[in-house]
Structures are given as structure tokens and as C-alpha cells.
Amino acid sequence: MSLKAIIYKNGEVEILDQLLLPEQSKYIKIKGVEDGWNAIRKMQVRGAPAIAIVGCLSLAVEVQDKNFDHKDSFRQEIEEKLNFLVTARPTAVNMKMAAENLIEMVQTLTDDGTVTVDEMKHRFLAAVENMLEKDTFDNMALGKYGADKILSNTSNGDAVQVLTHCNTGSLATAGYGTALGVIRKLFEQNRLEHVYCTETRPYNQGARLTAYELVHDKIPATLIMDSMVASLFKSRCVSAAIVGADRVAANGDTANKIGTYQIAVLAKYHRVPFYVAAPFTSIDPNIPSGDCITIEERPDREMTHIGDYRIAAEGINCWNPAFDVTPNELITGIITEIGVFEPHELRERAGGRGTGK
Ligand code: MRU
């Protein structure tokens, strides 16, 4: 059975609490926007696509049984709550894109005199539900494009070794995953010799979550510390590095989990192709470059403690940016659900594409 981070059934939303993994698999109910915002902020759900889906579903469950007398009051509530959900985590763009698209949709329906308030609510709920299905579908397409691209650099029939960072799998999306989706596809095609996943300090998404998914799917894998990437590239034959994205700018600069940038630098030095796997919901055509991306800074405690145990000297200052930006010149290709592009090709492809309009 595949892992599911988000379960939406009979109008109810549950998420797998990722703070408890891998020790415990416990689902918690998301009863409305407040719960959704808190779960995203606390990282009980994380990963750019999953954040957007849970945020929007939290609003769907909140409004589904409410009666609205006027279209304008429905529109106003949707707009206010979506804008609030965007504030939970600032770097990943998917929630912002979803909010903009849904706000535009309810505005259009408000202006359309032939649509009733009930019809408008129904259309809103259907659009949110569609996000779950579309994300898994897009990830499977992306996985195939990515696997084909990576295999195109190898001799016929050869299996590859790849490196990935952070968690971009079923736990970070509606299903299958982005960078981990590419790895799943390689494995399904019997063309994956081995995957290396980084620990991903300080939140340990690699050690806790990616390792969990890889073991769950019986994919041959080895965990390394973040500081071992250079040695790995030097001593083992790695065919490609594949990472996800929280926001890709129009020029291809990519914000992703802290540590991604240094992997890209090391990949360039060791001539390892470096791929970003991202659905169009993670591409922000409105910003020209990575300089415009706000980088979330998280609490010192993530660095100073492991669980309740303090590992850092008392009194030391900490700097804990959750993401970094990899410049486009270090990126070999951006793998999407419609194909693989070089960073400079993205601008024309990204215009007009978003959360599925
Ligand atoms: O802080 P996180 O765990 O939300 O960061 C996750 C990442 O950086 C992922 O690589 C990115 O969101 C893509 S998930 C498909």
C-alpha cells in the first residue's frame, strides 16, 4: 500500500502527523482553517504541494456545511481565509498560487449573474478536491519525463545511482512525489541501482521521511550526512542529483531545502547532472529571479536540540534559514509534468500555467 500524507473522504480531512514519523504513524483531523494553518506552520504537514492541498482542503471543510445568503459574503470569506493560509509558510509558492487561482475563480463566479451562491460553493469545493487528484497525476507524468531524461545519458539497459535531498515523495505531495517520483519511476523500470538520501539537517526530512518512504517501498537506498556529498560524488559513480523545489523563479533560479545550493555547486565540480523536479504549481512566473524569494527562518531549537535533548552549547547564536536558492546556471534541467526544460526555457513555458486553470 502506498503512503498517504493526506486523506480526504466524505468531506473530512486527515493528515499523517509528520512530526511523529518514523516512530509513529498517526493521522490527525483537520477541522478547519485554523487547524490547517497550525499544521502547516508546525510542519505536521510539509512539502510545497502538500502544504497547498492541505491549506485549501482545510478551507473546504470549513465552508462545506455553512450557509451563505449572498455570493459576496462567500467570496469575501474565501478570499480572507486563503490569504491567511498563505501566511503560514512564506517560501513555498504553491499555496499562494492556489489562493490566487481560487480567488480569481470565485470573483468570476460572483460577477456571473447566472450562477447561484450554492452553485458557486459547489464549484469551489470541486476545484479544491481536484487539486488532490491532479497533483498525483502530474507527479506520475513528471516521474516518467525525469526517468527518461536521466536514462538518456546512460548506455542502454544500465542502471543508475542517484542522490536526492530532503523529502519530495508521497509525504510531501498528494502522492508519488516529484524528485522521489522520478526515483520511483526509475525503480519501477528496474533502472535504479541505488539511491543516496541526505539526512537534511536540521529538520531531518531525509533521515526521517525519505528514508521511511524508501524502506517502505523496498527501494535500494543509503542514508548519508549532508556533509558527505562531496565524498560521495568523488568516490561513487553518481549519475544525477535530483531535488524538489519550493519556488522556481521565471529565470529558473530555484528555492529548495537548505543544503540544495551546496549540492548543486558540488555537482557542477564533479560533473554530475543536477535536476530540479517541480510541477508547474511550484513555478512562479511573476518573479524574475531567486533574489525576490523570501526565505523562511525557523526556530533555533531545530538546530540546538534533537527531541528534548540539547546538543548545542548553551548561549551560542543560531541562524536557521529553511531554504536556499540555487542559481539557474547550476541546474541541468527542470523536470515538470509537461517535459524537461533548461532553466532559460522556463519563462515562455510558465506563462499562464498554475494550479490547473
Ligand atoms: O521545509 P519543508 O520540509 O516543507 O521543505 C520541503 C522541500 O524543500 C521540498 O524539497 C519541496 O517542498 C518540494 S516537495 C515536493
Side-chain angles (χ1 to χ4, degrees):
M1 206 182 68
S2 67
L3 284 169
K4 275 214 167 302
I6 308 161
I7 297 178
Y8 179 66
K9 221 165 69 191
N10 304 328
E12 295 197 339
V13 184
E14 290 190 352
I15 59 162
L16 187 56
D17 185 345
Q18 297 189 30
L19 294 176
L20 303 178
L21 285 173
E23 290 86 14
Q24 273 185 62
S25 291
K26 186 175 159 208
Y27 283 89
I28 52 170
K29 216 171 237 171
I30 300 293
K31 296 197 196 105
V33 167
E34 208 62 40
D35 283 356
W37 192 93
N38 282 320
I40 294 167
R41 178 68 139 220
K42 285 198 291 191
M43 294 176 68
Q44 285 171 303
V45 61
R46 27 67 48 206
I51 288 171
I53 293 165
V54 170
C56 294
L57 283 174
S58 75
L59 178 53
V61 293
E62 185 159 311
V63 296
Q64 67 191 353
D65 297 325
K66 253 182 163 173
N67 286 321
F68 293 89
D69 293 335
H70 301 288
K71 290 206 284 183
D72 222 46
S73 53
F74 180 72
R75 184 202 56 74
Q76 201 179 334
E77 176 152 350
I78 295 299
E79 188 171 334
E80 272 171 16
K81 297 212 160 139
L82 283 171
N83 285 332
F84 170 63
L85 284 160
V86 170
T87 65
R89 292 193 72 193
T91 303
V93 74
N94 308 52
M95 183 64 230
K96 180 169 171 285
M97 293 287 235
E100 281 172 8
N101 286 337
L102 289 167
I103 289 168
E104 192 185 316
M105 185 186 103
V106 291
Q107 183 61 62
T108 307
L109 294 173
T110 306
D111 297 341
D112 182 343
T114 66
V115 175
T116 65
V117 64
D118 287 345
E119 166 77 1
M120 186 166 155
K121 191 167 97 176
H122 179 76
R123 299 260 286 268
F124 170 78
L125 295 174
V128 173
E129 284 166 20
N130 183 45
M131 288 172 71
L132 260 178
E133 209 173 314
K134 183 178 182 313
D135 188 56
T136 308
F137 184 80
D138 286 349
N139 289 341
M140 294 184 90
L142 181 158
K144 174 87 176 92
Y145 281 118
D148 288 351
K149 182 72 188 175
I150 288 165
L151 293 174
S152 70
N153 301 326
T154 63
S155 319
N156 220 359
D158 278 0
V160 292
Q161 302 207 92
V162 297
L163 167 75
T164 192
H165 184 55
C166 195
N167 174 263
T168 59
S170 300
L171 296 170
T173 62
Y176 205 69
T178 58
L180 205 49
V182 175
I183 292 165
R184 282 201 160 93
K185 192 73 205 172
L186 289 165
F187 180 63
E188 284 163 23
Q189 294 179 339
N190 281 323
R191 300 293 296 277
L192 180 75
E193 187 180 319
H194 211 81
V195 52
Y196 293 90
C197 67
T198 57
E199 178 189 28
T200 322
R201 281 283 291 153
Y203 190 79
N204 301 325
Q205 288 93 330
R208 295 190 305 110
L209 309 176
T210 301
Y212 183 71
E213 290 202 38
L214 293 167
V215 171
H216 179 276
D217 285 15
K218 301 188 172 49
I219 296 176
T222 296
L223 174 68
I224 61 165
M225 301 293 107
D226 300 351
S227 49
M228 296 173 184
V229 173
S231 291
L232 179 85
F233 285 159
K234 189 163 186 336
S235 59
R236 311 240 166 140
C237 189
V238 176
S239 312
I242 323 166
V243 300
D246 285 85
R247 189 183 297 234
V248 183
N251 70 345
D253 289 352
T254 295
N256 190 49
K257 181 50 53 194
I258 191 74
T260 302
Y261 178 26
Q262 67 198 25
I263 294 174
V265 172
L266 293 169
K268 182 100 175 172
Y269 182 80
H270 292 92
R271 297 194 165 89
V272 173
F274 180 89
Y275 292 101
V276 168
F280 270 86
T281 51
S282 304
I283 296 171
D284 187 350
N286 303 317
I287 53 163
S289 77
D291 294 342
C292 310
I293 300 175
T294 304
I295 301 294
E296 174 186 6
E297 295 198 10
R298 298 207 41 99
D300 295 357
R301 202 176 197 284
E302 288 178 356
M303 292 170 63
T304 54
H305 287 69
I306 292 184
D308 288 333
Y309 185 72
R310 187 170 180 110
I311 54 164
E314 288 283 358
I316 191 69
N317 293 316
C318 296
W319 178 49
N320 186 14
F323 303 96
D324 57 27
V325 175
T326 300
N328 57 13
E329 68 260 31
L330 298 179
I331 299 171
T332 312
I334 298 176
I335 303 165
T336 75
E337 66 273 31
I338 62 161
V340 183
F341 305 104
E342 289 186 25
H344 70 87
E345 295 174 307
L346 205 60
R347 200 179 302 268
E348 70 190 72
R349 295 294 179 155
R353 294 186 71 94
T355 51
K357 272 199 298 179

